[in-house]
Amino acid sequence: MITLVGLGYDIHRFSPTPRPLMLGGIKVHETQGLDGHSDADVLCHALADAILGAIGERDIGYWFPPSDPACENISSLLIVQKAVELLQGQGGRVVNVDCALIAEAPKIMPFVPGMKATLAAVLDVSPRRVGVKATTNERLGAIGRGEGIAAFATVAVSLPDEF
């Protein structure tokens, strides 16, 4: 088996209209959500892109194009699930993930256990193999002004030697 690493990043502005804020597959706020074609879960998007990158696949925009009406308002957990299915189709599995959310608000830490459990179930790993942390942007730039939320994700995957 070989181990490969992938990196993902995503950023979304807050929605001008009320919608739930989804982060790591769970609802964090009822009405102050992010703007996007899917549910705009930046953490799931970054994680899916990290998995896809580790196996040399195209990004989530290819698999879930914003122009496709079927993708409108879908759960971003389905996007992560698709990335995991592509990985498993190559005989691979997730080893661990480490994610960071960048936001001035809301406070993320109370939701981390739920995010870890939800993501671990989709990734088919122990929650101990899912790292989720949060930081602010120290009031710098668009994130610092509270205009949106960004996320980074790193993933290690295990694949057969002949991959």
Side-chain angles (χ1 to χ4, degrees):
M1 298 295 276
I2 60 171
T3 300
L4 299 173
V5 175
L7 173 67
Y9 170 79
D10 196 34
I11 185 169
H12 284 269
R13 71 182 76 234
F14 282 105
S15 175
T17 58
R19 72 183 298 195
L21 174 59
M22 302 299 295
L23 295 172
I26 68 167
K27 189 184 300 183
V28 172
H29 194 277
E30 194 65 41
T31 59
Q32 191 178 17
L34 298 170
D35 195 21
H37 190 64
S38 67
D39 66 7
D41 185 331
V42 292
L43 183 56
C44 284
H45 292 182
L47 179 54
D49 268 343
I51 295 167
L52 294 169
I55 60 174
E57 283 287 348
R58 297 183 68 174
D59 67 16
I60 63 172
Y62 173 80
W63 296 100
F64 298 89
S67 59
D68 184 352
C71 298
E72 190 168 355
N73 294 318
I74 65 166
S75 167
S76 293
L77 287 173
L78 295 175
I79 296 171
V80 175
Q81 184 177 26
K82 174 66 174 181
V84 170
E85 288 170 3
L86 290 167
L87 169 64
Q88 291 172 341
Q90 298 292 329
R93 63 179 179 80
V94 172
V95 175
N96 77 303
V97 302
D98 189 23
C99 307
L101 284 157
I102 305 103
E104 296 301 316
K107 296 295 182 194
I108 304 298
M109 297 316 290
F111 301 98
V112 168
M115 291 179 199
K116 289 173 56 112
T118 299
L119 293 172
V122 174
L123 298 168
D124 195 25
V125 297
S126 164
R128 291 180 23 205
R129 293 191 178 198
V130 178
V132 176
K133 48 197 170 297
T135 189
T136 68
N137 221 34
E138 298 295 328
R139 298 188 180 148
L140 297 172
I143 300 294
R145 289 188 300 271
E147 296 174 19
I149 298 177
F152 285 96
T154 305
V155 62
V157 299
S158 179
L159 289 150
D161 288 334
E162 58 276 359
F163 174 76

